[in-house]
Amino acid sequence: MRLRCAVLDDFQNVATEVADWSPLADDVEVVPFTTHFPDEDTLAAALAEFDIVVTLRERVPFPASLIARLPRLKLLIASGMRNSVIDYAAAEAHGVTVCGTASASTPPVELTWALLLGLARGIVRESNALRDGGPWQSTLGADLHGRRLGLLGLGKIGSRVAQVGLAFGMQVGAWSQNLTKERAEEVGVELAASKEDLLRDSDFVSIHLALSDRTRGLLGAAELALLKPTAYLINTSRAAIVDQDDLLAALHEGRIAGAGVDVFDIEPLPADHPMRTAPRLLATPHLGYVSQANYATYYGHAVEDIQAYLAGSPVRRLP
């Protein structure tokens, strides 16, 4: 009898197209799910008959309570090599092997700049006006050359965002709790004296930090109040780094020029979520990692993970 493998959140229905699953054909039945399961009860019922689950990023939590309800589950594969919503101790206790995949940092860099440029030049508003017979030129674009880009975080993604900013002729500064002057100079940017100074001085602020106890709620009402009324905030990292209610208030009250957001407190967003209708907001449905090459890696490595598990030698084990 073949094992059954569930592929979660395959919204574009491409998981079985971007990678070659044929090496598993004799041993594994692959079943993609193109819709999201909104709660643990629904998810547990849907996955009850599966031996293997492939989950996309950190959208679906696998707490101890869920793992205990999946007695057939033996292999859980998460895209990327870091996942904060899987209870690894519970997985081990129930005999579930957890593996990851490689993940490229370039797609979120590119999306960061798509959001930033879209905001700066009013791309969506102008395009919609052109297509709908609206006014010809109704916005005045914000220049990038000579303006200041402030980066919260200067890791793999932040440093690449910095390089693009420098190529645009921007002044680039960065800050994080552990960032050193030597690291900033290595990337070619200035180390801000403090988070507050970075926010106060920047025309564009982009967040590239991992979510942790130290970064959760890092930007709240007091921090957002430091931004210039002409400044833009970009978040392609994690929603919880910015207090969502405080961000919505700043947008509705026009205290910042706008925000570009790819991450949300609930994903997928409910139809009535206030982020769907907030003014001055350019929002995308968590597209940071969604690219052809990245998906080919995710699902190609998932096939390799399953093959290795079946051979008795799991690879890319987490945590």
Side-chain angles (χ1 to χ4, degrees):
M1 182 180 295
R2 292 193 301 170
L3 300 178
R4 302 193 76 213
C5 172
V7 180
L8 299 181
D9 291 339
D10 183 18
F11 298 126
Q12 301 90 350
N13 197 21
V14 296
T16 56
E17 298 177 3
V18 297
D20 181 10
W21 295 75
S22 63
L24 303 175
D26 292 338
D27 302 305
V28 180
E29 176 192 1
V30 180
V31 181
F33 289 94
T34 57
T35 57
H36 183 71
F37 296 109
D39 55 67
E40 184 175 307
D41 288 342
T42 308
L43 186 61
L47 299 182
E49 301 301 318
F50 286 91
D51 310 275
I52 303 167
V53 173
V54 179
T55 184
L56 193 60
R57 303 303 295 162
E58 296 174 319
R59 180 171 291 117
V60 180
F62 277 82
S65 56
L66 174 60
I67 293 172
R69 298 170 70 178
L70 302 175
R72 280 188 54 168
L73 182 62
K74 292 294 180 283
L75 176 62
L76 176 60
I77 299 171
S79 56
M81 289 301 293
R82 179 169 55 190
N83 192 300
S84 64
V85 298
I86 295 174
D87 189 324
Y88 295 105
E92 183 178 6
H94 287 83
V96 178
T97 299
V98 184
C99 298
T101 74
S103 183
S105 60
T106 49
V109 172
E110 294 167 359
L111 185 74
T112 294
W113 280 102
L115 289 172
L116 194 155
L117 288 166
L119 283 168
R121 300 306 297 267
I123 297 297
V124 173
R125 178 176 171 181
E126 293 287 6
S127 177
N128 288 343
L130 185 147
R131 296 171 65 89
D132 297 338
W136 183 264
Q137 297 183 2
S138 62
T139 64
L140 189 62
D143 295 283
L144 270 59
H145 185 87
R147 306 294 290 279
R148 189 163 190 82
L149 171 64
L151 302 175
L152 290 168
L154 199 62
K156 286 183 180 180
I157 296 175
S159 60
R160 290 188 175 186
V161 172
Q163 291 167 1
V164 177
L166 292 170
F168 272 118
M170 302 183 78
Q171 303 172 43
V172 183
W175 177 89
S176 70
Q177 288 96 333
N178 297 323
L179 183 60
T180 64
K181 183 179 180 181
E182 290 74 21
R183 169 59 181 164
E185 290 178 346
E186 180 183 324
V187 179
V189 307
E190 299 175 23
L191 173 64
S194 67
K195 174 184 64 178
E196 290 74 17
D197 283 347
L198 182 94
L199 296 173
R200 192 180 294 113
D201 296 340
S202 298
D203 300 294
F204 299 87
V205 173
S206 191
I207 301 170
H208 304 287
L209 295 166
L211 181 61
S212 67
D213 290 340
R214 290 196 305 173
T215 61
R216 187 179 298 275
L218 187 71
L219 300 188
E223 289 78 19
L224 294 172
L226 297 174
L227 292 170
K228 303 174 183 178
T230 55
Y232 295 91
L233 177 68
I234 313 295
N235 188 6
T236 57
S237 184
R238 291 291 182 269
I241 295 173
V242 182
D243 185 289
Q244 299 297 282
D245 291 336
D246 291 338
L247 175 59
L248 283 167
L251 292 170
H252 279 283
E253 295 167 14
R255 288 188 275 110
I256 59 175
V261 173
D262 187 49
V263 287
F264 306 92
D265 54 356
I266 304 172
E267 296 185 8
L269 276 182
D272 59 351
H273 196 285
M275 279 289 186
R276 287 187 179 268
T277 55
R280 303 176 181 85
L281 178 67
L282 177 56
T284 48
H286 207 153
L287 299 178
Y289 58 85
V290 182
S291 75
Q292 292 179 352
N294 224 20
Y295 268 36
T297 297
Y298 288 167
Y299 295 117
H301 281 189
V303 172
E304 293 177 5
D305 288 349
I306 296 170
Q307 288 179 296
Y309 174 80
L310 295 178
S313 301
V315 295
R316 291 185 283 266
R317 297 190 70 163
L318 297 177

